[in-house]
Amino acid sequence: MDAELNVSYITLDGYVEVHKYRFVYFVTMFAAYLLIICFNSSIVCLIFNHQNLHEPMYIFIAALLLNSVLYSTNIYPKLLIDFLSEKQIISYSACIFQYFILYSLGSAEFLLLTAMSYDRYVSICKPLQYPTIMTKRNICILLVLAWVLAACHVVVPTILSAETKLCNFTFKGIVCNNAIYGLLCVQTSALSVYGVVAVVDLIILPFLFIIFTYTKIFIITCLPHLMVLISFSCLSIYDIAIVRVESSFPKTARLIMTLQIVLYHPLFNPLIYGLKMKEISKHLNRLFCPFLMYSHFFLIKSCLDYDMFHI
């Protein structure tokens, strides 16, 4: 029975004392997931509902935050199920699908950041040409290309991995990432070469383009974007490099780094862009201030009623 189970499913061995801290893990990650959904969705809805925010910069921000919601939804529901399960397992087909969505959306984030940097470059360095370059049509093309190009690059290694025989059924991680290559009996040269090409196309070239554009404009204008880019780049470098050093990397450190990958940019992107962008921040204040004022008034009224009752 166990042999049949292992053929269909792989064991996720990246959790640290999950049986002991399952409810702590669950509550923490469930709260984080709710915050990610609320923060990102609030800003996306604001941008969608307010006509004065229908500008290229805000449209790209909305696309980036929507990408974060999809990225998190690919990861968190499975994590929450694993925290409450006796066995942390996943079918290989589901693992491959999670791998595809993970890297498609992760790569799309780099390309969306690249499109945002191009928008800022044209806006600041070529202001007179900005209306003719950043048209609605061109914005749609950039958005579609960001998601389609990323998916097209990731689909090839996904298919190659799906068709390769497995010799190992214990996965050293909690999310199906590059470490799935350690499950394969043979890592083909085609897969390795294509992986290098994908890294160059989806990470290195966009990164160099962003650095090039931002050397031409003031650092204060681009600080939120650079913060997101640098943090996401560092976590992506870890995710790529971990496959090479998996035998010597501590399990606890691997868990901490993986949690940073799934927590950091989906949770802090809306904070960085929502607080630093003046127009978005203004609408957020209008949205939440009445609620805060009502809560404050209700609290004061409750205290006064309490005092009068006791008098």
Side-chain angles (χ1 to χ4, degrees), residues 80-187:
L80 296 175
I81 292 172
D82 285 340
F83 292 142
L84 299 181
S85 301
E86 289 299 321
K87 292 184 178 181
Q88 290 71 46
I89 57 176
I90 186 172
S91 67
Y92 186 60
S93 58
C95 189
I96 285 291
F97 179 76
Q98 187 181 63
Y99 166 91
F100 172 74
I101 300 298
L102 179 75
Y103 286 108
S104 292
L105 296 178
S107 301
E109 176 135 349
F110 268 103
L111 297 178
L112 288 171
L113 290 170
T114 304
M116 291 172 68
S117 70
Y118 179 69
D119 171 69
R120 294 297 83 209
Y121 169 76
V122 176
S123 174
I124 295 171
C125 299
K126 299 182 179 181
L128 298 179
Q129 302 176 38
Y130 185 78
T132 58
I133 294 177
M134 299 307 296
T135 61
K136 289 183 178 180
R137 178 175 177 273
N138 289 339
I139 292 170
C140 290
I141 290 173
L142 289 174
L143 291 176
V144 170
L145 284 176
W147 278 301
V148 171
L149 284 178
C152 289
H153 274 78
V154 179
V155 73
V156 174
T158 301
I159 294 174
L160 291 175
S161 299
E163 294 179 347
T164 305
K165 184 180 177 181
L166 298 181
C167 285
N168 184 11
F169 296 95
T170 300
F171 178 75
K172 297 180 179 179
I174 61 174
V175 176
C176 293
N177 53 15
N178 272 321
I180 64 170
Y181 296 143
L183 304 177
L184 306 181
C185 295
V186 178
Q187 295 189 26

Side-chain angles (χ1 to χ4, degrees), residues 204-218:
I204 296 178
L205 290 180
F207 182 84
L208 292 176
F209 179 82
I210 293 170
I211 296 300
F212 171 76
T213 56
Y214 281 148
T215 55
K216 296 182 175 291
I217 53 183
F218 294 108

Side-chain angles (χ1 to χ4, degrees), residues 9-276:
Y9 292 86
I10 58 176
T11 301
L12 301 173
D13 191 38
Y15 293 95
V16 177
E17 297 191 56
V18 66
H19 297 291
K20 184 177 181 181
Y21 300 110
R22 66 170 69 250
F23 293 109
V24 175
Y25 282 140
F26 180 86
V27 172
T28 302
M29 299 305 288
F30 183 70
Y33 185 47
L34 288 181
L35 289 175
I36 289 169
I37 298 297
C38 292
F39 287 173
N40 287 275
S41 300
S42 297
I43 297 178
V44 170
C45 290
L46 282 177
I47 293 173
F48 179 79
N49 291 326
H50 292 83
Q51 190 67 33
N52 65 323
L53 297 180
H54 292 182
E55 299 178 6
M57 176 176 64
Y58 299 112
I59 292 173
F60 286 128
I61 289 175
L64 188 72
L65 300 185
L66 177 62
N67 194 74
S68 294
V69 171
L70 297 175
Y71 178 93
S72 301
T73 303
N74 177 53
I75 296 171
Y76 279 82
K78 179 64 173 94
L79 284 181
L80 296 175
I81 292 172
D82 285 340
F83 292 142
L84 299 181
S85 301
E86 289 299 321
K87 292 184 178 181
Q88 290 71 46
I89 57 176
I90 186 172
S91 67
Y92 186 60
S93 58
C95 189
I96 285 291
F97 179 76
Q98 187 181 63
Y99 166 91
F100 172 74
I101 300 298
L102 179 75
Y103 286 108
S104 292
L105 296 178
S107 301
E109 176 135 349
F110 268 103
L111 297 178
L112 288 171
L113 290 170
T114 304
M116 291 172 68
S117 70
Y118 179 69
D119 171 69
R120 294 297 83 209
Y121 169 76
V122 176
S123 174
I124 295 171
C125 299
K126 299 182 179 181
L128 298 179
Q129 302 176 38
Y130 185 78
T132 58
I133 294 177
M134 299 307 296
T135 61
K136 289 183 178 180
R137 178 175 177 273
N138 289 339
I139 292 170
C140 290
I141 290 173
L142 289 174
L143 291 176
V144 170
L145 284 176
W147 278 301
V148 171
L149 284 178
C152 289
H153 274 78
V154 179
V155 73
V156 174
T158 301
I159 294 174
L160 291 175
S161 299
E163 294 179 347
T164 305
K165 184 180 177 181
L166 298 181
C167 285
N168 184 11
F169 296 95
T170 300
F171 178 75
K172 297 180 179 179
I174 61 174
V175 176
C176 293
N177 53 15
N178 272 321
I180 64 170
Y181 296 143
L183 304 177
L184 306 181
C185 295
V186 178
Q187 295 189 26
T188 63
S189 57
L191 191 61
S192 300
V193 171
Y194 193 87
V196 173
V197 173
V199 168
V200 171
D201 287 348
L202 299 175
I203 298 179
I204 296 178
L205 290 180
F207 182 84
L208 292 176
F209 179 82
I210 293 170
I211 296 300
F212 171 76
T213 56
Y214 281 148
T215 55
K216 296 182 175 291
I217 53 183
F218 294 108
I219 186 68
I220 193 170
T221 306
C222 310
L223 185 59
H225 192 67
L226 286 176
M227 289 171 62
V228 173
L229 173 68
I230 292 171
S231 62
F232 191 67
S233 299
C234 292
L235 292 173
S236 297
I237 290 171
Y238 157 78
D239 188 70
I240 294 168
I242 190 61
V243 180
R244 307 298 179 188
V245 296
E246 64 174 24
S247 60
S248 59
F249 205 73
K251 186 176 179 179
T252 303
R254 184 194 297 271
L255 175 65
I256 292 172
M257 290 300 296
T258 303
L259 291 178
Q260 286 191 57
I261 292 173
V262 302
L263 274 171
Y264 189 83
H265 71 277
L267 188 58
F268 290 104
N269 278 0
L271 293 177
I272 291 172
Y273 288 113
L275 296 178
K276 295 295 290 185

Side-chain angles (χ1 to χ4, degrees), residues 294-307:
Y294 176 78
S295 300
H296 185 62
F297 172 77
F298 181 78
L299 180 62
I300 294 175
K301 185 177 182 303
S302 300
C303 292
L304 291 175
D305 291 343
Y306 177 81
D307 291 340

